């Protein structure tokens, strides 16, 4: 490595020189996880073979009404499904495995390799989604090497993270070794005793690493991320001070944290009631695999909690991020069937809000306090540490692997920039570093790195029924923001209304009174239909054979939209239903009006 201090400037990836006809190249294509947190998905492609690394999800923002999860756009994978040879999974967090079951409904993945805990969690997901027959799951152990296709051999190297059984991977290719760190921190005192395999990383560094792709989540944070074990004394103190019931919420997948909480519950002679399906699921799998060790009699069913003395009970719950349907959120709203907050309860938030969840979390905390709970939360309490390495750990990773080329991965843009600067300070030349976005095609040869194009990228929104298309989301947004007006009209052969139209207005704020609005809408419908049918008659056309009722309906929709903008100063969703009398020969015309087009403005 170069000891000269470089200029700390990181640039957006430049187009790489086109390789000569005899110069092989590997394509690296991230579909998610860059310039964002979540839905980590990466494609490695050589010749006619593709392997995938992780396939995660993200959670919806406030404007994504009715959406359950957010996935990366997988058009490229669907178009190249014949090339997919397998997948490698680094660990069991939802932002790395949460999208796999959905993807298997669209294309097959012949085999998936991953840690035992991740494979156990994934197996349940695949069974629930009915796609377990679309792939084969194989568990791996530290230093295992697996061949996928003709061109890829993947080596699993133990690392440390907030979930047990986490790995960095070394991907052996015809051009050299590519190391993907996965999510990592350097924990010198891991709770489960599974230490980071620095020796193997250093061995690869000595032999030569072609490219390093490294977790950038805490690239802006100086120093070193504290060990998970540092949380235990602070939780121990809080548990000892709690006089009544004790409730703790944390990430269900933070197996090390859950293990500490259960150890402390046993120390303080409290029985544990578990609330939340994901918490039950993770604890069950982690106990079966030996990552959580405790006696069966530590746990009690939730229905028995009421019969316990307050000082003998700990309730371990999901909902540390203020999720709307989580157990802790429902408890804070008084909506949980079995648990009601009372004076003397202590509620511990052993997690920090992830970006975008802060408001939901503080609202949950406020509601708990108003119900009389003593809520313990915040960074100053020392009851949460990150699962991602800070700048010193990034430097250690760079020093051990000594990569020729470097791609900062897994983080928002400012994090990628900072990580690139750290790499330059460690001697990686500026021209050997690329900062990329989802969908960029990185071409890697033995002597160059750069972008050579872009594949279709973006997001796929999923609710309980399937994919939520843009038009559906736009309708939902319009309903939420502007309300809806529905108008149903029956029209006779001469263009006159058979009866006054049926009008319903929901969620629309108007300065005029409701009766006046109904009158305006009725007049608008009558006049628009009358004018349009009169035009046909003036042109000598017979209504039964010549009137284009679809054209009439569209004209009414547009007229109602203009009326709403003029009189209501808003753009509600217009739903206009028109039925033409059968005697005229027309047929029922029903259609929803979506967002107004420029022509309707």
């Amino acid at each position: 490595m170069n000891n000269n201090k470089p200029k700390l400037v990181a640039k957006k990836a430049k187009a790489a020189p086109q390789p000569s006809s005899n110069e092989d190249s590997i394509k690296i294509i991230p579909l998610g996880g860059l310039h964002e947190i979540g839905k980590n998905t990466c494609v490695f492609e050589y010749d006619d073979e593709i392997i995938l690394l992780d396939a995660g999800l993200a959670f919806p923002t406030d404007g994504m009404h009715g959406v359950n999860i957010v996935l990366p756009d997988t058009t490229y994978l669907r178009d190249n499904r014949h090339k997919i040879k397998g997948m490698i999974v680094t660990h069991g967090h939802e932002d790395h495995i949460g999208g796999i079951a959905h993807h298997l409904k669209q294309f097959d993945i012949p085999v998936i390799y991953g840690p035992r805990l991740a494979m156990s969690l994934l197996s349940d997901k695949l069974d629930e989604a009915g796609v377990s027959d679309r792939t084969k799951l194989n568990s791996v152990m530290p230093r295992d090497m697996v061949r996928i296709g003709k061109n890829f051999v993947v080596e699993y190297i133990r690392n440390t993270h907030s979930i047990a059984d986490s790995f960095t991977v070394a991907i052996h290719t015809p051009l050299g070794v590519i190391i993907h760190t996965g999510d990592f921190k350097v924990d010198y005192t891991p709770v489960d005793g599974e230490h980071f395999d620095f020796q193997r990383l250093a061995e690869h560094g000595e032999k030569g690493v072609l490219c390093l792709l490294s977790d950038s989540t805490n690239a802006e944070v100086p120093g070193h991320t504290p060990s998970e074990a540092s949380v235990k004394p602070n939780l121990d103190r809080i548990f000892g001070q709690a006089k009544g019931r004790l409730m703790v919420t944390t990430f269900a997948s933070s197996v090390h944290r859950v293990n500490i909480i259960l150890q402390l519950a046993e120390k303080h002679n409290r029985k544990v009631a578990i609330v939340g399906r994901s918490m039950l699921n993770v604890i069950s799998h982690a106990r079966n695999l030996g990552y959580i060790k405790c006696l069966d009699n530590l746990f009690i069913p939730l229905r028995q909690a009421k019969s316990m003395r307050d000082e003998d009970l700990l309730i371990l719950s999901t909902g540390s991020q203020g999720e709307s349907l989580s157990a802790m959120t429902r408890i804070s709203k008084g909506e949980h069937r079995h648990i009601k907050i009372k004076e003397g309860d202590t509620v511990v938030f052993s997690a920090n809000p992830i970006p975008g969840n802060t408001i939901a979390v503080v609202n949950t905390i406020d509601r708990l306090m108003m119900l009389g709970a003593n809520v313990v939360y915040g960074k100053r309490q020392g009851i949460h540490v990150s699962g991602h390495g800070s700048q010193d750990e990034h430097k250690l990773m760079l020093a051990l692997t000594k990569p020729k080329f470097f791609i900062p991965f897994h983080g928002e843009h400012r994090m990628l920039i900072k990580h690139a600067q750290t790499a330059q300070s460690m001697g990686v030349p500026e021209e050997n570093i690329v900062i990329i976005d989802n969908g960029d095609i990185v071409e890697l040869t033995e002597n160059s790195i750069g972008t050579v194009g872009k594949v279709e990228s973006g997001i796929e929104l999923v609710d309980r029924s399937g994919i939520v298309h843009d038009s559906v989301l736009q309708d939902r947004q319009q309903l939420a923001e502007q309300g809806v007006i529905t108008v149903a009209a029956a029209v006779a052969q001469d263009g006159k209304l058979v009866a006054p139209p049926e009008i319903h207005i929901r969620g629309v704020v108007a300065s005029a009174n409701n009766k006046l609005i109904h009158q305006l809408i009725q007049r608008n419908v009558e006049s628009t239909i009358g004018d349009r049918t009169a035009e046909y008659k003036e042109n000598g056309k017979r209504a039964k054979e010549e009137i284009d009722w679809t054209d009439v309906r569209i004209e009414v929709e547009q007229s109602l939209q203009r009326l709403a903008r003029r009189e209501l100063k808003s753009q509600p969703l217009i739903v206009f239903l028109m039925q033409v009398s059968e005697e005229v020969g027309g047929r029922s015309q029903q259609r929803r009006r979506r967002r107004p087009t420029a022509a309707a403005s």
Side-chain angles (χ1 to χ4, degrees):
M1 287 241 173
N2 189 347
N3 291 324
N4 295 327
K5 188 174 181 180
K7 183 180 179 182
L8 298 183
V9 178
K11 295 182 178 179
K12 181 72 176 176
K14 299 178 181 178
Q18 292 296 319
S20 60
S21 57
N22 60 354
E23 189 175 15
D24 289 341
S25 65
I26 294 171
K27 292 178 182 176
I28 302 173
I29 309 171
L31 298 179
L34 289 172
H35 296 234
E36 62 183 353
I37 299 296
K39 61 186 181 69
N40 300 282
T41 307
C42 189
V43 175
F44 293 86
E45 183 173 350
Y46 181 84
D47 199 10
D48 60 348
E49 293 186 337
I50 284 176
I51 64 169
L52 307 178
L53 188 145
D54 292 339
L57 56 76
F59 294 102
T61 60
D62 290 340
M64 298 177 180
H65 305 288
V67 172
N68 292 347
I69 60 173
V70 181
L71 299 172
D73 187 322
T74 56
T75 300
Y76 184 77
L77 295 177
R78 293 194 296 270
D79 292 345
N80 292 275
R81 66 187 70 200
H82 60 285
K83 294 183 179 181
I84 299 174
K85 302 303 178 184
M87 172 182 283
I88 49 181
V89 169
T90 59
H91 65 285
H93 275 151
E94 284 292 286
D95 60 337
H96 290 260
I97 66 170
I100 296 174
H102 176 77
H103 298 329
L104 282 170
K105 295 178 181 179
Q106 303 178 69
F107 50 83
D108 288 344
I109 302 172
V111 63
I112 301 176
Y113 293 96
R116 292 183 302 156
L117 179 57
M119 294 298 98
S120 295
L121 296 172
L122 181 57
S123 178
D124 285 353
K125 293 177 181 294
L126 301 190
D127 287 342
E128 185 176 344
V131 293
S132 56
D133 60 338
R134 303 290 296 271
T135 191
K136 182 179 179 182
L137 303 182
N138 287 334
S139 297
V140 298
M141 299 295 287
R143 296 200 177 188
D144 277 357
M145 299 183 73
V146 296
R147 176 175 290 279
I148 304 177
K150 303 187 299 290
N151 297 302
F152 298 99
V153 175
V154 180
E155 178 183 359
Y156 279 82
I157 301 171
R158 170 68 74 214
N159 70 20
T160 48
H161 185 39
S162 56
I163 189 173
D165 212 6
S166 179
F167 285 94
T168 291
V169 292
I171 305 171
H172 299 253
T173 76
L175 302 187
V177 173
I178 301 171
I179 290 183
H180 191 298
T181 66
D183 288 3
F184 81 98
K185 66 187 284 185
V186 175
D187 194 334
Y188 295 107
T189 55
V191 173
D192 60 1
E194 293 278 346
H195 291 270
F196 210 129
D197 193 350
F198 298 126
Q199 178 184 349
R200 192 64 187 131
L201 286 176
E203 289 171 355
H204 281 297
E206 286 300 311
K207 293 178 182 177
V209 171
L210 179 63
C211 186
L212 172 68
L213 292 74
S214 187
D215 175 12
S216 303
T217 305
N218 278 347
E220 300 171 288
V221 182
H224 190 282
T225 301
S227 169
E228 184 68 31
S230 67
V231 170
K232 190 171 184 178
N234 297 315
L235 286 175
D236 190 12
R237 170 179 49 81
I238 293 166
F239 285 19
Q241 294 171 348
K243 303 304 180 185
R245 288 190 306 179
L246 183 58
M247 301 183 193
V248 184
T249 181
T250 189
F251 294 104
S253 58
S254 294
V255 173
H256 300 319
R257 186 76 47 80
V258 171
N259 196 24
I260 288 172
I261 291 167
L262 295 176
Q263 290 173 357
L264 291 175
E266 189 170 13
K267 174 182 176 180
H268 291 275
N269 298 313
R270 289 181 181 264
K271 297 294 183 181
V272 178
I274 300 171
V275 188
R277 180 184 175 192
S278 59
M279 187 70 74
L280 284 164
N281 190 38
V282 172
I283 290 176
S284 174
H285 286 295
R287 290 187 72 202
N288 289 338
L289 294 171
Y291 292 112
I292 290 179
K293 297 182 175 71
C294 57
L295 298 175
D296 289 343
N297 64 8
L298 178 64
F299 302 98
I300 61 167
L302 185 58
R303 61 180 179 273
Q304 292 184 15
K306 291 183 178 179
S307 64
M308 298 287 298
R309 294 193 311 165
D310 289 350
E311 58 269 29
D312 295 335
L313 178 65
L314 184 149
I315 297 171
L316 181 55
S317 169
T318 57
S320 65
Q321 297 303 301
E323 304 95 320
S324 59
L325 298 179
S326 68
M328 188 56 69
T329 299
R330 287 186 286 122
I331 292 169
S332 74
K333 294 179 177 179
E335 297 174 354
H336 198 280
R337 287 187 300 166
H338 301 291
I339 304 171
K340 304 295 180 183
I341 293 293
K342 59 185 179 181
E343 293 283 345
D345 288 342
T346 297
V347 182
V348 180
F349 277 72
S350 185
N352 290 336
I354 62 176
N357 290 349
T358 302
I359 293 176
V361 172
V362 298
N363 286 342
T364 301
I365 291 171
D366 281 347
R367 288 192 296 267
L368 291 167
M369 286 182 169
M370 287 187 282
L371 291 172
N374 171 37
V375 184
V376 183
Y377 66 97
K379 294 182 179 180
R380 289 180 294 179
Q381 299 291 339
I383 53 178
H384 176 72
V385 293
S386 174
H388 299 270
S390 301
Q391 289 176 5
D392 284 356
E393 287 134 295
H394 294 168
K395 292 175 182 177
L396 178 59
M397 179 63 71
L398 287 157
L400 289 171
T401 57
K402 304 175 184 177
K404 183 174 184 178
F405 300 107
F406 178 67
I407 306 175
F409 232 69
H410 192 320
E412 296 170 355
H413 184 70
R414 64 186 186 281
M415 302 170 186
L416 306 181
I417 292 290
K418 193 64 180 178
H419 202 173
Q421 293 172 347
T422 298
Q424 287 179 250
S425 75
M426 294 295 293
V428 181
E430 178 188 350
E431 61 272 17
N432 287 6
I433 302 172
V434 291
I435 297 174
I436 56 176
D437 201 353
N438 294 330
D440 284 347
I441 302 172
V442 177
E443 186 174 64
L444 178 66
T445 73
E446 291 180 342
N447 300 301
S448 66
I449 188 172
T451 58
V452 293
K454 198 172 183 69
V455 305
E456 189 169 347
S457 63
I459 59 175
E460 291 180 353
L461 307 179
V462 181
D463 66 9
R464 297 186 186 278
S465 301
I467 296 291
V468 180
H469 296 288
D470 289 346
S471 59
V472 175
L473 186 63
Q474 287 172 1
D475 278 358
R476 292 179 180 180
Q477 290 171 336
Q478 196 169 4
L479 282 166
E481 296 168 5
Q482 305 285 352
V484 60
I485 297 176
T486 61
V487 181
V491 184
Q493 61 179 358
D494 58 357
K496 294 183 179 180
L497 299 183
V498 175
E502 187 174 338
I503 301 167
H504 296 280
I505 301 174
R506 296 289 184 271
V508 179
V509 178
S511 56
N513 63 57
N514 208 42
K515 183 177 180 181
L516 177 59
I517 294 172
H518 278 68
Q519 291 174 350
L520 291 171
I521 291 174
Q522 180 173 337
R523 291 172 190 167
N524 185 282
V525 173
E526 290 175 340
S527 63
T528 305
I529 293 176
D531 291 346
R532 295 293 285 130
T533 54
E535 289 178 13
Y536 279 99
K537 292 176 182 178
E538 289 175 4
N539 293 329
K541 296 179 180 178
R542 292 172 296 167
K544 182 175 180 180
E545 298 176 0
E546 302 293 348
I547 291 181
D548 186 342
W549 290 107
T550 299
D551 186 51
V552 173
R553 175 185 48 75
I554 292 172
E555 179 68 26
V556 174
E557 289 175 341
Q558 294 175 345
S559 181
L560 287 173
Q561 193 66 57
R562 290 192 294 267
L563 173 69
R565 285 200 300 270
R566 184 177 65 250
E567 300 295 337
L568 305 179
K569 311 301 182 188
S570 64
Q571 296 185 29
L573 183 70
I574 300 295
V575 180
F576 179 62
L577 307 174
M578 182 173 69
Q579 185 172 20
V580 183
S581 173
E582 290 295 333
E583 288 79 3
V584 181
R587 59 190 179 89
S588 296
Q589 302 280 342
Q590 296 187 15
R591 177 171 172 170
R592 298 179 61 187
R593 176 63 179 154
R594 303 198 183 281
R595 282 189 180 273
T597 61
S601 300

